[in-house]
Amino acid sequence: MRYLKWSLISVSCYSILTVLAWFIDDLGWKKGITEGSYQIVANFVSNLQFLFKMLIGSDDVLNYHFRLLPFLMGAVVWIGIAVVLCSRRGRAVH
């Protein structure tokens, strides 16, 4: 149950960061900036998604576009991190 709770918390945090990155990107588009600072900030806010996008060659640092596959891969990483931290914490307690 502890793993599920922390996995849900970590995926929720990741989802919030992704939505925040989408809003930053959208703000840039509304200001007429299609490449540059807003998109770079959006990529770094959703850093795990940005890392995966670079690895699969989906986009470069100057463009931010939400893609489902990198988002899901990032969510798996966040769940993995939560599980590892829970298991280490469990070993430290016992």
Side-chain angles (χ1 to χ4, degrees):
M1 188 65 167
R2 178 177 52 165
Y3 292 121
L4 178 62
K5 176 179 116 180
W6 285 105
S7 294
L8 288 175
I9 289 171
S10 67
V11 169
S12 297
C13 290
Y14 177 59
S15 298
I16 290 169
L17 289 174
T18 300
V19 168
L20 180 61
W22 181 80
F23 280 124
I24 291 169
D25 178 58
D26 191 51
L27 178 64
W29 279 94
K30 287 180 181 175
K31 290 188 174 198
I33 302 170
T34 58
E35 285 190 354
S37 59
Y38 284 95
Q39 287 72 26
I40 292 171
V41 171
N43 276 313
F44 285 121
V45 165
S46 64
N47 57 12
L48 287 176
Q49 183 176 346
F50 170 66
L51 174 65
F52 283 117
K53 287 191 323 188
M54 278 183 30
L55 290 175
I56 64 173
S58 160
D59 282 315
D60 62 275
V61 72
L62 296 178
N63 294 308
Y64 175 82
H65 299 287
F66 175 81
R67 304 273 194 255
L68 184 59
L69 179 61
F71 174 78
L72 293 175
M73 291 171 21
V76 169
V77 169
W78 279 70
I79 290 170
I81 290 170
V83 168
V84 167
L85 290 176
C86 283
S87 67
R88 286 184 179 228
R89 185 172 175 212
R91 276 190 248 147
V93 172
H94 297 295

